[in-house]
Amino acid sequence: MADIKEDGSEVFHYDIPDFPLSIKNNFIPANACINDISIHWHEEIEITYVVAGSIWHQLNGKRVRIEAGEAIYINAKQLHLIQSDDQDCELYCLIFHPALLSASNHISKKYVLPIVENEKLDYFFLKESDATQKIALDAIKKIKALEEKPAFEIKALQELHKLWAALYDVLPKAKPNEVETNEDLHRVQRMLAYIHKNFNREISLEDICNAGQVGKTKGTKVFDQYLHMTPVEYLINYRLEIASRMLKETNDSVTDIAFLTGFSESSYFARIFRKRVGCSPLEYRREYNNETKKS
């Protein structure tokens, strides 16, 4: 599980702690089962560039497909989750903190914050067929090519500024003194933060909705809008996700794991685990251990 802050956002750990930029080359097989189902958000900007194949992103309740030669810009603090498609996918994932672009308050206020703080902008498609957008995509490839080479940080920062200059020309920007707050998104984020912090104890739908400062009807409605499930369904899924991680990474008994993840009865935990995963908790642990030994 990722580390999370008090507000429920993800703490992203960089390879170079004092240089908040990461670029990874990932391969995701067709119809892969991605165990980490918890939707997340963070202060960083994230750009997924598909080199080959295709991939899906769930973004603030919308499901969008990105194909080879395309990328998706995900603005800061947006709810998102990557999902596999029916074909293999190779992609670059660039994540960086907006502070890297803010050499001065002037630069930050004029060129960075109008985009990062534009709550009408959750994501934006980028395509190689557009000349300006291609500059941004080429910069991503150059940053990837610079990995492990001398003066990586300086050269990567140079390319990052090229990327941002291109994005600045195409991304919608908030007008001065015209910042609109997406209250429903913030309500869902507060409810998610409450679940992530309190999943291991008995909590109710009312508790979750109170965290979002809404009633049960409104809370259920906005949760479904952004995650396509109820708060209680997400709570159960999140508990199962953590339980599956514990089955792989600890020697705790199934009974202990059930109680540590908020299930009141181990039999109910085993039943709902089998329904979701297709095997019992012990079978899941045994299969994982066998695969680990093979590899």
Side-chain angles (χ1 to χ4, degrees):
M1 296 300 300
D3 293 334
I4 57 173
K5 299 179 183 177
E6 189 66 25
D7 65 357
S9 63
E10 180 182 0
V11 178
F12 195 84
H13 297 285
Y14 296 95
D15 293 336
I16 306 172
D18 293 333
F19 186 69
L21 181 148
S22 170
I23 186 160
K24 301 294 182 185
N25 185 197
N26 295 321
F27 176 78
I28 300 177
N31 301 311
C33 177
I34 302 174
N35 288 327
D36 192 343
I37 58 86
S38 59
I39 202 156
H40 61 282
W41 70 100
H42 41 66
E43 293 180 351
E44 288 82 359
I45 291 161
E46 183 169 333
I47 303 176
T48 299
Y49 174 42
V50 175
V51 179
S54 60
I55 201 73
W56 287 92
H57 262 291
Q58 183 177 323
L59 288 148
N60 289 347
K62 305 161 194 169
R63 194 164 183 258
V64 294
R65 189 170 186 258
I66 308 101
E67 299 180 346
E70 298 177 342
I72 189 164
Y73 169 95
I74 303 172
N75 211 6
K77 301 180 182 178
Q78 305 303 307
L79 294 173
H80 60 280
L81 175 70
I82 197 167
Q83 297 172 320
S84 65
D85 198 7
D86 59 1
Q87 56 182 309
D88 294 347
C89 181
E90 182 184 359
L91 59 85
Y92 295 152
C93 185
L94 173 67
I95 297 177
F96 61 93
H97 198 284
L100 269 183
L101 301 163
S102 304
S104 69
N105 286 334
H106 172 76
I107 295 292
S108 179
K109 290 178 181 178
K110 187 173 181 179
Y111 297 106
V112 181
L113 295 182
I115 293 174
V116 174
E117 294 186 351
N118 180 9
E119 296 206 359
K120 291 182 178 179
L121 171 63
D122 46 7
Y123 67 90
F124 191 88
F125 276 111
L126 301 166
K127 298 187 177 183
E128 289 183 336
S129 57
D130 181 282
T132 302
Q133 295 175 21
K134 188 176 186 302
I135 294 172
L137 299 181
D138 286 345
I140 294 173
K141 289 185 279 188
K142 288 178 181 177
I143 292 172
K144 186 69 183 71
L146 289 168
E147 271 193 312
E148 299 180 6
K149 292 190 176 180
F152 165 73
E153 297 93 330
I154 295 173
K155 294 174 183 176
L157 194 57
Q158 183 180 30
E159 294 300 329
L160 186 66
H161 280 89
K162 288 181 185 177
L163 179 152
W164 194 257
L167 291 179
Y168 185 82
D169 288 339
V170 298
L171 293 179
K173 293 163 275 291
K175 296 179 181 178
N177 304 316
E178 203 175 84
V179 176
E180 291 189 15
T181 302
N182 187 339
E183 289 296 342
D184 283 346
L185 174 60
H186 294 317
R187 290 183 181 109
V188 173
Q189 288 175 330
R190 287 194 295 267
M191 288 190 281
L192 286 168
Y194 181 83
I195 290 172
H196 295 167
K197 188 177 181 180
N198 298 281
F199 71 90
N200 58 349
R201 67 182 187 86
E202 185 178 348
I203 57 177
S204 66
L205 173 61
E206 185 175 10
D207 293 329
I208 297 170
C209 292
N210 284 343
Q213 299 174 337
V214 289
K216 289 189 285 187
T217 300
K218 173 70 173 179
T220 301
K221 180 180 178 181
V222 296
F223 213 91
D224 180 67
Q225 176 186 344
Y226 282 89
L227 279 84
H228 305 299
M229 65 180 75
T230 69
V232 173
E233 287 172 336
Y234 182 86
L235 170 63
I236 293 171
N237 285 341
Y238 189 73
R239 285 171 169 169
L240 289 171
E241 179 188 337
I242 294 176
S244 65
R245 191 70 59 89
M246 293 179 70
L247 285 166
K248 291 187 292 186
E249 297 178 357
T250 75
N251 293 318
D252 294 345
S253 69
V254 171
T255 299
D256 286 344
I257 289 173
F259 287 110
L260 288 170
T261 52
F263 292 98
S264 57
E265 296 180 3
S266 59
S267 58
Y268 172 69
F269 164 65
R271 185 167 65 252
I272 201 166
F273 188 95
R274 178 182 288 277
K275 184 177 180 180
R276 178 194 162 192
V277 181
C279 62
S280 72
L282 282 177
E283 289 169 340
Y284 180 85
R285 171 178 275 170
R286 188 157 48 243
E287 179 65 22
Y288 173 77
N289 288 338
N290 289 340
E291 290 297 322
T292 302
K293 288 176 182 177
K294 289 179 184 177
S295 60

